[in-house]
Amino acid sequence: MSKATIRYLILYCLLLPIQVIVLNRLVLFNCAIPLAFIYLLTVLPASFGTNRSLSLGFVTGVIVDAFMDTYGLNALCCTILAFVRKPVLHMYILRDEEQTVQPCDMHSLGMAVFLKYNLTMSLIYCAMLFTVEAFSFFDVKRLLLRTVASTIYTFVIIAAISGLYNSRREKRL
């Protein structure tokens, strides 16, 4: 196993329990939920295969569903997020640059591209999650409020995690 794979597995084994134990209880105003575990799907290398990405997204969603009692909701949203990951990434980087972007983190993408990419991915995930959860557009204002508030909350937490993770990597180099 390579160093990057081991580092990703450690991040996976740390971030999922933090999401389940800590972040699920940090709900703001009964509206905004931090969904920082999607960082695990967004940081995958650009060259990561689609089948492996979809499988990892499904497994991540099932693990979160098991602890959040959401009955497949996160599995669905994580699988779809893993599917749209490459097209969203190609909105911000050229296909020629894909070979140089190994992990899609702040260090390799650059801060501006990484933040735009993660904001888009957070918005997609939160919009899917709350739309499928509500299963109707009956209360559109509440749906939009939950989506926007959770997107911002998730984005801030992901930026903080990425900043901590990359600052430690740069100190070791």
Side-chain angles (χ1 to χ4, degrees):
M1 265 198 253
S2 70
K3 222 181 222 187
T5 306
I6 293 171
R7 200 172 25 229
Y8 183 78
L9 285 173
I10 291 170
L11 180 65
Y12 196 88
C13 291
L14 287 174
L15 195 54
L16 274 180
I18 288 171
Q19 174 69 44
V20 169
I21 296 168
V22 178
L23 295 177
N24 285 346
R25 292 170 183 30
L26 295 177
V27 179
L28 291 179
F29 308 113
N30 200 18
C31 185
I33 303 169
L35 302 163
F37 69 93
I38 65 170
Y39 177 72
L40 297 169
L41 299 174
T42 62
V43 78
L44 289 172
S47 59
F48 203 68
T50 305
N51 290 337
R52 293 186 336 194
S53 177
L54 290 172
S55 299
L56 185 65
F58 179 74
V59 168
T60 303
V62 166
I63 291 170
V64 173
D65 280 333
F67 293 102
M68 288 180 67
D69 293 329
T70 50
Y71 307 110
L73 184 62
N74 284 298
L76 171 71
C77 294
C78 283
T79 305
I80 292 172
L81 191 72
F83 183 73
V84 300
R85 183 178 65 86
K86 277 192 180 181
V88 170
L89 185 62
H90 289 307
M91 286 178 13
Y92 300 112
I93 66 168
L94 301 173
R95 293 190 192 275
D96 300 335
E97 295 174 10
E98 181 180 303
Q99 309 312 335
T100 61
V101 178
Q102 276 310 315
C104 294
D105 58 1
M106 193 180 301
H107 182 69
S108 61
L109 289 176
M111 184 178 284
V113 171
F114 176 78
L115 293 177
K116 288 188 286 188
Y117 168 63
N118 267 303
L119 182 63
T120 306
M121 294 295 276
S122 298
L123 179 64
I124 290 170
Y125 190 83
C126 291
M128 278 189 305
L129 182 75
F130 295 123
T131 302
V132 172
E133 183 183 49
F135 208 63
S136 71
F137 293 108
F138 182 70
D139 193 4
V140 177
K141 286 195 305 191
R142 175 132 172 92
L143 179 67
L144 289 175
L145 177 68
R146 289 185 76 192
T147 301
V148 170
S150 293
T151 298
I152 293 169
Y153 198 13
T154 300
F155 175 70
V156 168
I157 300 255
I158 286 176
I161 290 170
S162 181
L164 289 172
Y165 187 67
N166 285 322
S167 68
R168 287 186 181 176
R169 270 184 59 195
E170 289 173 3
K171 286 181 184 176
R172 278 190 245 154
L173 294 176

